[in-house]
Amino acid sequence: MKARWCLLALGLGLGVSHYHCRTRCGGTSIVHLFEWPWRDIAEECENYLAPNGFAAVQISPPSENVVVTQPWRPWWERYQPISYKLCSRSGTEQELRDMISRCNKVGVKIYADVVINHMCSASAGEGRRSTCGSYFNAREEEFPSVPYSASHFNDDKCTTASGNIENYQDIYQVRDCRLVGLLDLAHRKEHVRERVAGYMNTLVDMGVAGFRVDACKHMWPEDLKAIYGRLHNLNTEWFPEGSKPFVYQEVIDLGGEPIKASEYSRLGHVTEFKYGAKLGSVIRRWNGDKLADLKTWGESWGLMPSDQALVFVDNHDNQRGHGAGGASILTFWEPRMYKMAVAFMLAHPYGVTRLMSSYRWDRSLVEGRDQNDWMGPPSYPDGSTKPVPINPDGSCGEGWVCEHRWHQIRNMVMFRNVAHGQPLLNWWDNGGNQIAFGRGDRGFIVINNDDCTLDALLQTGMPAGSYCDVISGQRTAAGMGCTGKRITVGEDGRAHFTIKATEQDPFVAIHAGSKL
Ligand code: QV4
Ligand code: CA
């Protein structure tokens, strides 16, 4: 089998064009700066994201949350709101406002993660242990800073003995009972709709361009529709008149449950969790999965239609065993395979792409389960988050991983922008784990995930010339030099590629912007 896969094959095709932005050279990818302080996001927009063509940042939930000290300040406390005041571990309201405006100024959009399905855990107690110091009483369901009180929660609708979701096969439980004990809001009620929309509109007016809506599976589509229907148009200081917020909804649908992602797709984009799970399995070569199978990647794999999908290799939950996805999910802990997966995602036209930017934690796997999956961001003993220092080589210090700053990932973000709107062409594979494909005449990628050398003369569809591989290096500032491999595309559009199986990054990518 291996030997046959490792045979050489050829593709065909033709194309001529010069490099320019056919639509506009706008960004196409979102980066989730998980747990980043607002101040650092502002700097990152100006110094890194804008110049490197990133479209947007997904920020951690900006609303006030409960302060959890057992365990010590877990990242997940931010998914337990206390009010819609805007002070959090990432900073003050003023810092949030300043960050949004600075990012908008350089053309990087901000998408806020909004937690609107619930408030804090029923067992969170009573007092002012919250990030803005607002009083709450979880037992009595009192949140005077919103205000919400007992009548604004779903207790009367939920029929399980525990009050929690016990069976995901029952759509009523999933929507009307408590998700892991989190007090479940009654979105059928006018007051709740008004408060939730009011919170989101405060952010829209401040300049956010949209939302990642948390836990949508646990809310009725008709309620979400009513809430979205109240949203203001984007702030005209930065966006064209009449622009609507971009909404992407977290629904984990891996199949096998009665609630489907498609119930939400007419309201906005939806997270496609099958994407990372299946791609991870292919890159790991599990169960006979191989890269050649990706020739049909998309709907025929059971993925939702491309124009509805928000896609990612991993997210803040499944990179640490929360949420769904399972063992196949690739993360920064396995950098070689991870970069391959991210490069494939960014090169392939399917979906709106989101990149994960993580922090390192003391991972401690016991029988596949991480004992430290709760650990919060790099922080000082008092629990405040440490800033994100940038090293002279452009990497991040203090435990911040900054996958989005890895040059292979950064350069593929630009590849996607340059190739935007172009069809997938010139697919080639060896029947195994060596593949290549192009995007119109704008970009071409070759990946070798086999155990033998890839050595092939391939039709790239690109104009003749010399190109710099953006994975092993990149074009130098002056545009003449190349710090990586040089790829020569002939008059017939063909180029010769050699990728050893042992290379640090066994893939090569060229695009119209890397032409020498
Ligand atoms: C525990 C028990 C419960 C008990 C409860 C009350 O497990 O059975 O009822 O105590 O005593 C944390 C703890 C969790 C604890 C809960 C309430 O981990 O053990 O319950 O708090 O105290 C994040 C974390 C959760 C965390 C939650 C709130 O992942 O572990 O819960 O924040 O702090 C499903 C959903 C999907 C969801 C995914 C994780 O369909 O929507 O699970 N994903 C999103 C976010 C995710 C977040 C939430 C939803 C909740 O991406 O980060 O959960 O806002 O698949
Ligand atoms: Ca609910």
Side-chain angles (χ1 to χ4, degrees):
M1 284 293 256
K2 272 282 141 47
R4 184 169 57 79
W5 290 347
C6 292
L7 287 177
L8 184 142
L10 294 175
L12 277 166
L14 210 110
V16 191
S17 127
H18 294 286
Y19 171 64
H20 64 102
C21 291
R22 279 185 190 154
T23 47
R24 60 195 169 88
C25 267
T28 53
S29 295
I30 304 168
V31 56
H32 181 192
L33 296 180
F34 179 50
E35 285 283 0
W36 275 45
W38 307 146
R39 283 179 263 114
D40 295 297
I41 295 178
E43 300 264 309
E44 193 71 350
C45 283
E46 294 169 346
N47 300 333
Y48 184 83
L49 299 177
N52 286 297
F54 287 75
V57 178
Q58 178 182 315
I59 61 171
S60 281
S63 51
E64 177 175 28
N65 61 263
V66 66
V67 171
V68 174
T69 52
Q70 297 266 354
W72 179 250
R73 304 304 306 268
W75 61 269
W76 47 253
E77 68 171 41
R78 297 185 75 162
Y79 291 89
Q80 299 198 25
I82 291 297
S83 82
Y84 301 132
K85 289 186 189 166
L86 299 170
C87 25
S88 66
R89 227 175 158 185
S90 287
T92 63
E93 174 173 348
Q94 194 41 52
E95 287 167 330
L96 174 67
R97 191 179 292 279
D98 177 66
M99 176 271 283
I100 294 169
S101 114
R102 284 168 63 188
C103 290
N104 279 333
K105 251 179 220 146
V106 293
V108 178
K109 299 185 182 77
I110 300 297
Y111 298 135
D113 189 352
V114 288
V115 184
I116 58 175
N117 171 63
H118 51 263
M119 299 300 278
C120 65
S121 162
S123 56
E126 183 245 347
R128 293 182 181 276
R129 267 195 301 113
S130 48
T131 51
C132 314
S134 295
Y135 174 83
F136 66 96
N137 185 332
R139 196 173 16 89
E140 303 291 330
E141 305 184 334
E142 288 293 341
F143 299 90
S145 296
V146 179
Y148 287 141
S149 50
S151 69
H152 301 121
F153 294 87
N154 269 333
D155 307 83
D156 52 338
K157 279 192 169 177
C158 172
T159 56
T160 63
S162 63
N164 289 347
I165 301 166
E166 294 171 357
N167 176 7
Y168 273 78
Q169 296 302 321
D170 176 346
I171 65 168
Y172 296 95
Q173 282 190 32
V174 175
R175 267 99 177 227
D176 294 336
C177 293
R178 295 172 181 171
L179 168 63
V180 293
L182 301 163
L183 296 173
D184 203 56
L185 285 165
H187 304 99
R188 202 55 50 87
K189 303 205 169 169
E190 169 57 26
H191 176 75
V192 175
R193 289 182 176 182
E194 190 269 329
R195 290 287 79 200
V196 168
Y199 164 49
M200 294 171 77
N201 277 332
T202 300
L203 293 168
V204 169
D205 296 347
M206 282 170 83
V208 308
F211 303 97
R212 178 255 185 199
V213 184
D214 184 65
C216 286
K217 185 194 283 181
H218 307 283
M219 296 182 275
W220 294 95
E222 61 209 277
D223 290 336
L224 287 173
K225 188 177 178 205
I227 290 166
Y228 301 160
R230 297 177 186 211
L231 295 181
H232 296 169
N233 288 338
L234 301 186
N235 190 321
T236 52
E237 192 174 338
W238 298 292
F239 304 100
E241 192 107 25
S243 308
K244 299 267 179 255
F246 176 68
V247 172
Y248 52 105
Q249 308 166 97
E250 188 224 13
V251 179
I252 304 178
D253 176 3
L254 292 168
E257 287 178 27
I259 297 179
K260 303 277 176 249
S262 59
E263 293 172 51
Y264 295 85
S265 52
R266 65 196 159 86
L267 304 174
H269 274 64
V270 185
T271 52
E272 178 50 278
F273 276 81
K274 290 174 190 156
Y275 193 103
K278 293 188 181 203
L279 184 57
S281 175
V282 171
I283 302 261
R284 291 177 187 280
R285 309 194 305 198
W286 280 359
N287 317 312
D289 285 352
K290 48 193 190 320
L291 287 190
D293 301 338
L294 294 173
K295 183 171 187 179
T296 56
W297 186 240
E299 279 182 65
S300 70
W301 282 64
L303 306 183
M304 65 182 74
S306 171
D307 62 354
Q308 303 170 354
L310 189 289
V311 299
F312 44 93
V313 172
D314 61 330
N315 81 344
H316 72 282
D317 284 325
N318 64 21
Q319 72 168 197
R320 46 174 51 70
H322 282 238
S328 70
I329 298 297
L330 288 166
T331 71
F332 70 86
W333 293 108
E334 295 169 287
R336 191 169 186 267
M337 285 190 287
Y338 187 67
K339 282 180 279 184
M340 238 188 286
V342 173
F344 174 82
M345 173 179 82
L346 291 172
H348 195 281
Y350 184 92
V352 172
T353 47
R354 179 179 64 192
L355 301 159
M356 183 65 204
S357 188
S358 318
Y359 57 80
R360 219 166 264 110
W361 70 97
D362 302 330
R363 198 159 70 139
S364 158
L365 292 176
V366 178
E367 286 167 7
R369 171 120 171 64
D370 183 359
Q371 305 303 298
N372 288 333
D373 64 346
W374 57 271
M375 283 188 169
S379 50
Y380 297 108
D382 70 356
S384 58
T385 304
K386 287 184 179 173
V388 183
I390 308 298
N391 298 322
D393 67 358
S395 63
C396 299
E398 288 282 16
W400 298 95
V401 181
C402 292
E403 296 92 315
H404 71 290
R405 279 179 167 264
W406 296 0
H407 79 264
Q408 301 88 340
I409 292 179
R410 171 190 68 213
N411 291 346
M412 285 307 297
V413 165
M414 189 55 84
F415 179 112
R416 189 176 193 77
N417 294 346
V418 169
H420 182 66
Q422 298 296 310
L424 192 158
L425 294 179
N426 296 308
W427 178 274
W428 168 86
D429 65 65
N430 69 342
N433 288 291
Q434 300 182 350
I435 60 167
F437 62 94
R439 296 291 304 282
D441 57 2
R442 314 278 287 163
F444 195 74
I445 186 167
V446 189
I447 308 177
N448 179 13
N449 197 26
D450 262 339
D451 299 325
C452 51
T453 302
L454 179 156
D455 187 10
L457 183 63
L458 301 176
Q459 177 52 254
T460 66
M462 307 273 292
S466 185
Y467 292 82
C468 186
D469 166 33
V470 299
I471 304 305
S472 54
Q474 62 205 7
R475 216 169 62 158
T476 54
M480 296 308 288
C482 170
T483 59
K485 298 177 185 169
R486 281 167 188 263
I487 305 294
T488 307
V489 175
E491 291 300 329
D492 60 356
R494 295 197 298 181
H496 183 239
F497 294 89
T498 311
I499 307 174
K500 291 204 199 72
T502 50
E503 286 181 38
Q504 172 101 53
D505 296 310
F507 53 105
V508 167
I510 57 174
H511 61 76
S514 80
K515 195 162 189 236
L516 298 165

